[in-house]
Amino acid sequence: MSAPDPSVLDQAAGWLDEGRTVALATVIETWGSAPQPVGSQLAIDSQGNFEGSVSGGCVEGAVVTVALDVMESGAPRVLEFGVADETAWEVGLACGGRIRIYVEPLGGEA
């Protein structure tokens, strides 16, 4: 498990201090070859800005989109990304592994 990156949490705290709505995505499980270890994090604000990485860039766009929904609804979600022959050209991991990511809203009410 990777230790949380303080720069990601510092950026999230800064956005919260500025009154922005923020979500935090954390890698909670990996199988096979995964680009980032368990514990890797991505902070996202309501404007779509983000800091950190959960996949080295493979699925960050999809995670940001879901994070915006999580901030709107206030309901956390678990996402899973991998690669299969029929989905190889969709959002996923080119390395052949799979990852699960927990996306949660931070701070006050959504």
Side-chain angles (χ1 to χ4, degrees), residues 51-93:
E51 174 76 24
S53 179
V54 290
S55 72
C58 304
V59 299
E60 263 73 359
V63 173
V64 168
T65 299
V66 171
L68 294 172
D69 291 341
V70 165
M71 286 183 262
E72 178 82 20
S73 70
R77 293 196 37 203
V78 175
L79 310 174
E80 186 170 328
F81 296 96
V83 65
D85 290 344
E86 65 275 6
T87 60
W89 298 107
E90 297 176 7
V91 172
L93 302 176

Side-chain angles (χ1 to χ4, degrees), residues 15-66:
W15 286 333
L16 288 170
D17 288 345
E18 294 172 5
R20 299 186 200 184
T21 304
V22 178
L24 185 66
T26 304
V27 177
I28 58 172
E29 196 167 10
T30 65
W31 295 268
S33 178
Q36 295 288 346
V38 170
S40 298
Q41 295 180 311
L42 178 72
I44 306 100
D45 77 357
S46 55
Q47 299 171 2
N49 299 304
F50 60 92
E51 174 76 24
S53 179
V54 290
S55 72
C58 304
V59 299
E60 263 73 359
V63 173
V64 168
T65 299
V66 171

